[in-house]
Amino acid sequence: MPVHNAEIAELFNRLADLLELEDANPFRVRAYRTAARSINGLSHNLVDLLGAGEDLSKLPGIGKDLAGKIRTFIETGKLPLLEQVQARTPAALSDLMKIEGLGPKRVKTLHQQLHISSFEDLQRAARSGKVRALAGFGAKTEALILERLEAARHADIRSRLVDAEDIAAALISYLEDCPGVKQVCIAGSYRRRRETVGDLDILVTAKQGTPVTDHFVAYDEVSEVMSHGKTRSTVHLRSGMQVDLRVVPQVSYGAALLYFTGSRAHNISLRKLAIKKGFKLNEYGLFRGDKRMAGATETAVYAKLGLPYIEPELREQRGEIEAARKGKLPKLVGRDDIRGDLHCHTRATDGHDSLEAMVTAARKLGYEYLAITDHSRRLSVAHGLDRKRLLEQIRRIDKLNEQLNDIVVLKSIEVDILEDGSLDLPDGILGQLDLVVGAVHYMFNLTRKQQTGRIIRAMDNPYFNILAHPGGRLLNKRPPYEVDMKKVMQAARERGCFLELNAQPARLDLTDTDCMLARELQLKVVISSDAHSTANLDYMRFGINQARRGWLGPADVVNTRRLAELRKLFRRH
DNA sequence: GCCGTTTTCGGCCCGACTGTTTTCAGTCG
């Protein structure tokens, strides 16, 4: 059973919680959390790194000790320190810390005074009024605990970016209606364009804070006001989304935007850098003593720290500050670089719109080409195309192309990769297409070795060009299948194939760290909308966001090429 | 426990809000 990075990060986080409950050195606790964050951001699997003989202690936030613990866990499946700590302190206590307002100190008190070690224990104690009697607790805290117990049980669910956008749009226009409000900006992971968003961080500039936070907590959709101050307030919406609002004066806008956009790790690095240069950085500005040296814009703050502007998508503490210092930040791919879409569906299979409608929509977007990639016969739920129906579509596209002069419709298919790695349609018909997109749609539960072999065998087919949604995950619904992504990428590069970054907001597959890996391996990526309607073609922007998070520039992306060059890339022999 | 163009020892980001207090600890982002 291969060990995932997320698993190791989770262990370190749990260990940090439990050590914190034991009053361990807070900096030691922080070291575990920093390491966990660092591991989650890696573009390589720790197992692979170890296998390749890499020195894990070279990774940021990982020293000799933690490198040793990672190695032990990978080799034995055990983390002895965690087992020792769990023998003293119940692991479930770290779950209690997920309840809003309960941190290590209070959980420790609850455990020591009332022997509480589970949600059920806590609910019982709070209902019978025992919690309010504890020092540092009161009736209000007890009531809040009862209210927030339920929410904490599914506190880990993050919203997909596209859903967060819906919630945000209404809220922004509501806030803009508030008198005195100058600018409204959503910061946080939303601005960094992470694939999922845990909460919304909204920054507002205004002279007076109170009228704005008052207006904010009065929003129709608010289900609970968590805190309500002069410059800062937090609410929960009926949708379950938490929203933090921060009001700052115009002169602090840039510094506040930096602070509120994060990531936390990026901010901490910037603050350390500020200290080194004799400054202090907070959300109000960059100060030398009491004098504000910068703060109105992010660019000004970065400049005073000796750095160029760093795009929000890069602010994940993945080497961006180092790259900025050396002037080696990548030029990121943008919407205007994209010349076409290489994955979409029509009514012939499970799309909602006709071939002609899809093409018209793509022309409106200014695309030079659009590949029609309906499903193949095995995907019967989608009414997949067999040889005969695909031939009909080919003829129809040829005819359509004769009438078009500003866009070329490319003949293609999203062909199923069968269990043995063969393709769902014969080479004879695949050879008549402009390009072939292959995808795994079933048998997700193969072993890592089997799945990797299956996909690489599919790429052995000389007509294969693009591997669609390479990880197979659906956000919040289905985890990725087991596959050695690095091996798949290397195999693709050797064979002249490409991997798709599927831009559907529920897929976003490749992940951002996958993109970083592809870039390192010099494998080009195709960003595709996988549109099932004309409106879905707009999903492209989510793919671009993800690609930018993965440090990809126009040269790293296949569909920034003109058609002639594209055709060359797809000619494998 | 990590880290080092000040350091291999001695530091470790910074501020707002709440509830329980009577000046602040705890929590959060």
Side-chain angles (χ1 to χ4, degrees):
Chain A
M1 204 36 204
V3 182
H4 294 284
N5 288 359
E7 226 177 299
I8 296 174
E10 168 67 23
L11 286 173
F12 283 173
N13 271 328
R14 185 164 286 261
L15 193 47
D17 284 348
L18 297 180
L19 287 172
E20 201 172 21
L21 282 163
E22 294 186 344
D23 275 334
N25 177 349
F27 298 110
R28 186 180 172 212
V29 172
R30 185 191 292 175
Y32 279 103
R33 297 228 164 93
T34 305
R37 259 202 307 273
S38 169
I39 289 168
N40 270 327
L42 291 178
S43 52
H44 292 78
N45 195 310
L46 284 166
V47 178
D48 296 340
L49 287 176
L50 207 56
E54 295 283 336
D55 180 3
L56 300 185
S57 70
K58 294 250 163 62
L59 297 172
I62 311 245
K64 235 178 151 183
D65 181 89
L66 291 186
K69 288 191 166 71
I70 292 169
R71 173 185 285 274
T72 305
F73 183 74
I74 287 174
E75 286 172 355
T76 68
K78 285 185 178 167
L79 188 54
L81 177 63
L82 183 59
E83 289 174 16
Q84 286 163 30
V85 173
Q86 281 178 348
R88 298 189 295 258
T89 308
L93 292 186
S94 86
D95 293 332
L96 292 183
M97 286 169 63
K98 288 185 184 136
I99 297 171
E100 293 260 9
L102 289 191
K105 296 287 180 342
R106 284 179 176 154
V107 168
K108 191 179 172 189
T109 304
L110 288 168
H111 183 234
Q112 286 180 341
Q113 306 285 321
L114 300 176
H115 309 294
I116 287 167
S117 60
S118 69
F119 286 117
E120 288 70 28
D121 293 344
L122 181 58
Q123 190 167 44
R124 229 172 293 131
R127 277 188 180 153
S128 58
K130 284 179 186 159
V131 171
R132 74 180 73 177
L134 297 172
F137 290 77
K140 217 161 179 177
T141 306
E142 186 179 74
L144 282 177
I145 287 174
L146 277 175
E147 250 178 65
R148 293 171 184 174
L149 253 167
E150 200 41 52
R153 289 178 206 257
H154 27 85
D156 291 340
I157 301 280
R158 295 170 61 92
S159 303
R160 298 179 310 171
L161 188 55
V162 65
D163 300 328
E165 281 189 351
D166 273 350
I167 295 169
L171 185 49
I172 289 176
S173 68
Y174 173 78
L175 288 171
E176 282 172 344
D177 284 345
C178 179
V181 164
K182 291 225 166 62
Q183 278 163 291
V184 179
C185 181
I186 310 220
S189 52
Y190 182 97
R191 181 159 178 252
R192 303 199 311 278
R193 309 310 284 163
R194 270 191 67 172
E195 59 199 28
T196 58
V197 172
D199 58 9
L200 289 177
D201 300 301
I202 304 185
L203 183 67
V204 169
T205 53
K207 283 209 177 85
Q208 298 287 321
T210 309
V212 183
T213 60
D214 286 352
H215 183 75
F216 172 60
V217 300
Y219 184 49
D220 213 27
E221 289 294 311
V222 168
S223 61
E224 189 185 359
V225 178
M226 311 296 285
S227 75
H228 180 192
K230 285 199 291 270
T231 65
R232 173 175 200 157
S233 291
T234 300
V235 301
H236 281 168
L237 301 182
R238 277 187 242 282
S239 58
M241 181 72 85
Q242 176 173 313
V243 188
D244 297 317
L245 178 84
R246 190 73 188 258
V247 188
V248 296
Q250 193 67 42
V251 68
S252 297
Y253 182 67
L257 195 53
L258 256 186
Y259 160 75
F260 234 20
T261 298
S263 64
R264 265 168 86 107
H266 180 85
N267 286 348
I268 289 170
S269 292
L270 286 184
R271 287 176 182 191
K272 283 182 179 167
L273 190 59
I275 291 168
K276 210 181 273 178
K277 291 182 180 287
F279 297 113
K280 183 179 74 167
L281 177 61
N282 60 28
E283 56 264 54
Y284 298 108
L286 184 71
F287 297 88
R288 191 184 296 280
D290 287 338
K291 187 160 185 250
R292 192 197 317 263
M293 310 299 289
T297 67
E298 289 183 316
T299 307
V301 176
Y302 278 122
K304 278 275 182 262
L305 292 173
L307 301 173
Y309 177 77
I310 300 177
E311 297 284 356
E313 290 97 327
L314 296 179
R315 301 181 195 169
E316 296 290 347
Q317 184 72 343
R318 291 174 180 160
E320 71 277 10
I321 292 176
E322 180 76 349
R325 197 156 40 194
K326 292 182 183 160
K328 289 195 170 162
L329 282 175
K331 179 198 179 303
L332 300 180
V333 63
R335 175 62 187 78
D336 291 343
D337 296 315
I338 301 295
R339 294 182 188 271
D341 200 329
L342 297 176
H343 186 165
C344 76
H345 298 269
T346 73
R347 221 178 264 162
T349 59
D350 60 351
H352 297 293
D353 292 306
S354 69
L355 167 64
E356 290 76 9
M358 293 301 287
V359 173
T360 301
R363 286 174 68 195
K364 275 190 194 145
L365 292 171
Y367 285 158
E368 294 174 20
Y369 45 83
L370 176 73
I372 302 297
T373 56
D374 272 311
H375 288 288
S376 66
R377 58 189 178 183
R378 200 215 62 89
L379 212 62
S380 49
V381 284
H383 196 38
L385 303 183
D386 56 17
R387 187 175 170 282
K388 182 157 164 273
R389 290 177 59 221
L390 180 54
L391 273 172
E392 275 168 33
Q393 191 181 61
I394 288 173
R395 275 197 291 274
R396 205 168 144 197
I397 291 176
D398 282 338
K399 224 165 160 188
L400 187 58
N401 272 330
E402 284 170 19
Q403 303 158 19
L404 296 165
N405 52 23
D406 56 351
I407 189 169
V408 172
V409 186
L410 297 173
K411 293 162 283 187
S412 185
I413 185 91
E414 181 182 5
V415 65
D416 252 65
I417 297 175
L418 303 180
E419 192 186 345
D420 63 359
S422 61
L423 303 181
D424 187 32
L425 287 170
D427 287 359
I429 182 90
L430 297 181
Q432 298 182 48
L433 299 169
D434 293 302
L435 70 148
V436 171
V437 178
V440 168
H441 286 125
Y442 72 118
M443 293 300 286
F444 294 124
N445 60 349
L446 299 182
T447 66
R448 185 173 159 98
K449 205 175 160 192
Q450 288 171 330
Q451 197 70 276
T452 305
R454 170 193 191 184
I455 291 172
I456 292 177
R457 271 195 298 284
M459 294 195 294
D460 283 338
N461 182 303
Y463 297 109
F464 194 104
N465 296 114
I466 300 170
L467 177 63
H469 41 76
R473 70 163 178 186
L474 292 175
L475 283 170
N476 290 343
K477 278 194 186 150
R478 185 175 74 207
Y481 42 67
E482 294 288 348
V483 71
D484 188 333
M485 192 60 83
K486 190 174 177 185
K487 250 188 196 158
V488 168
M489 286 185 181
Q490 283 166 335
R493 178 148 161 59
E494 286 161 12
R495 288 161 181 74
C497 300
F498 306 99
L499 263 58
E500 173 187 275
L501 193 182
N502 188 296
Q504 286 218 32
R507 289 194 183 269
L508 289 172
D509 175 11
L510 306 168
T511 66
D512 50 4
T513 53
D514 286 338
C515 289
M516 294 180 88
L517 183 58
R519 181 172 180 262
E520 190 189 313
L521 298 173
Q522 297 184 302
L523 171 69
K524 289 186 190 66
V525 166
V526 182
I527 309 177
S528 297
S529 71
D530 192 1
H532 285 65
S533 70
T534 53
N536 284 171
L537 287 167
D538 178 53
Y539 284 162
M540 182 64 77
R541 65 194 177 86
F542 291 107
I544 293 166
N545 288 144
Q546 182 90 329
R548 290 166 64 89
R549 290 181 53 80
W551 293 51
L552 299 189
D556 302 313
V557 177
V558 172
N559 48 321
T560 59
R561 304 295 196 278
R562 291 195 173 279
L563 182 59
E565 204 184 334
L566 195 78
R567 286 195 191 278
K568 271 189 225 161
L569 289 175
F570 290 147
R571 212 170 296 135
R572 284 180 54 185
H573 38 267

